[in-house]
Amino acid sequence: MNPQTRLHTETVFLEVSLAASRKKIYALRAAKEGKKQLAKLLSAIAVSEEAQAQRFLLQLRGQTGTSEENTRIAFTEEIPSLITQYETAAENAGQVEERGMHSAFSQSARVERMHIQLQKKLDTNPVKECSYHICSFCGFIMENRTPEKCPICTASSHRFKTL
Ligand SMILES: [Fe+2]
């Protein structure tokens, strides 16, 4: 892929993914306001934009490195950068006394740190298989079983998705 096309593809992927997420929020608001058809249209556009994002992601997939390189980038660059962003956001939210947001950002930072631990665990024993159970509220991942309550956000077991 031409470098300029690749840059456009990455940018469009990010933008359209964000746009799809926003449409879902707008749809919830429209539904809350009783605007049923508008909510449906916004939901349909969200699904459309997710499909577009998926299409560009598939184009980019061929451009990624080996799993070894991707793992290194994900766990030594991307995730640590995300943790730093969450920690900064948590600190700011704490300073302006937005407790709910402080808690959300702090929990996300913890969850991301745990992802690094999960990868280290996998790295030490790459052949051992396990299932992953993900809290749909905070993103906490538990191996092999669903907990009764999420240890991070206290969501109940039915909020967990199994992969
Ligand atoms: Fe959770």
Side-chain angles (χ1 to χ4, degrees), residues 107 111 134-141 149-156 159-160:
Q107 288 181 355
V111 163
I134 306 116
C135 174
S136 62
F137 189 73
C138 74
F140 166 74
I141 300 174
K149 257 186 177 183
C150 176
I152 302 293
C153 74
T154 72
S156 65
R159 297 292 298 263
F160 277 74

Side-chain angles (χ1 to χ4, degrees), residues 2 10 20 25 32 35 46 102 104 110 126 139 158:
N2 168 287
E10 285 175 350
I25 296 167
K32 200 177 164 191
K35 293 168 182 155
H102 172 78
R110 278 182 72 191
H158 76 271

Side-chain angles (χ1 to χ4, degrees), residues 45-61:
I45 294 172
V47 173
S48 160
E49 288 174 343
E50 281 174 345
Q52 294 169 52
Q54 188 63 27
R55 183 182 189 179
F56 293 116
L57 181 65
L58 287 174
Q59 291 300 319
L60 290 168
R61 197 170 61 179

